[in-house]
Structure formats: structure tokens, C-alpha cells
Amino acid sequence: MTETRLLYAAIVIVLFTLAIINFTFMAYVGLFKLKEMESHVKNCYLIHANRRETGDGLYSRRYRLNLIRAMLSKRPSLLLLNDPRALEDIRRFPLHLRRWIEIPYRINTFSLIGLLVVWGWGEYIGF
């Protein structure tokens, strides 16, 4: 039983560490890569209106990064349907910048799902 508890603790620590490192990486992307990303979506009203309204703080940058991520999703986004001029900008969005957004979001998704699975496993075993 001790080995199981150690394994459980190690997995939880690894998943929390991965999530924290990934959140700091996303802050880095928001601080240093977002300006280049915004230069490729010049016709998107939502992003530029948010920048004018809320300024250039970390929360505002994170929100604009989330908007770009929602627009880059594979299924048709409601944000793009409301802003048809941005469709061509999203189609021409560079692949190397797309990866700066998609990879951290996928890592966050998998680490949070992993934490839920580990929590369920702990509840099932009785930790």
C-alpha cells in the first residue's frame, strides 16, 4: 500500500508541475508572442476592440490569446461567424505561430484530465 501511495503522490506532483510550467509558458507566449500573432489578424474586430478597451495587462493578453485559440479551432467558431472579415486572416495564420497557441492548450487539457483521472483513482482506492 505504501508503494501505491508513493506512486499516487508522484503522479500528482508531476501533473501539477506540468500544469504550472505550462501556465508560465502560456504567460510567456502572451507577453512576447502575442504582438506577432495579432499582426496576422488585422481584420479581427474582437481582438483589436479588446486591446483598446482593456489595455495591455496580463489578463487582457490572456483573453486575446484565448480569442485567437477559439478562432483557430477546427470546427466553425461563433466568433468567426460574427466577424466574417477575419476568416481570411485565420486561414492565412502561420503554422509556427499556430503551434505556439495549440500545444500549450493541449498540454493543459491533458494535464487537467490527468488530474481528474488521478483524483478518481484516489477516490476509488480510498486515499
Side-chain angles (χ1 to χ4, degrees), residues 69-77 80 95 98 102 106:
R69 168 66 174 111
M71 288 180 201
L72 291 175
S73 65
K74 299 293 184 214
R75 59 180 187 258
S77 172
L80 282 177
L95 183 61
R98 190 179 294 245
E102 288 185 8
R106 288 182 185 171

Side-chain angles (χ1 to χ4, degrees), residues 26-127:
M26 289 173 71
Y28 168 79
V29 171
L31 289 172
F32 299 109
K33 294 290 184 181
L34 185 62
K35 190 169 216 68
E36 184 180 356
M37 291 176 192
E38 287 176 341
S39 71
H40 291 285
V41 287
K42 295 175 186 167
N43 293 323
C44 183
Y45 173 76
L46 291 172
I47 292 174
H48 296 294
N50 181 269
R51 185 175 194 174
R52 283 190 306 268
E53 294 292 324
T54 59
D56 220 21
L58 188 60
Y59 181 74
S60 174
R61 288 174 177 264
R62 173 68 188 226
Y63 183 74
R64 291 193 311 264
L65 199 62
N66 285 337
L67 282 175
I68 293 172
R69 168 66 174 111
M71 288 180 201
L72 291 175
S73 65
K74 299 293 184 214
R75 59 180 187 258
S77 172
L78 181 63
L79 297 172
L80 282 177
L81 295 176
N82 289 335
D83 193 7
R85 294 186 318 166
L87 282 171
E88 192 60 34
D89 288 344
I90 295 301
R91 283 190 192 119
R92 287 186 282 149
F93 200 79
L95 183 61
H96 73 280
L97 290 177
R98 190 179 294 245
R99 289 179 183 151
W100 278 99
I101 295 176
E102 288 185 8
I103 291 172
Y105 275 91
R106 288 182 185 171
I107 290 174
N108 272 346
T109 301
F110 289 128
S111 64
L112 292 177
I113 289 172
L115 283 171
L116 287 174
V117 167
V118 168
W119 175 75
W121 176 49
E123 288 290 321
Y124 178 74
I125 290 179
F127 289 144

Side-chain angles (χ1 to χ4, degrees), residues 17-31 62 108:
T17 305
L18 179 65
I20 289 171
I21 289 171
N22 201 36
F23 280 124
T24 56
F25 181 74
M26 289 173 71
Y28 168 79
V29 171
L31 289 172
R62 173 68 188 226
N108 272 346

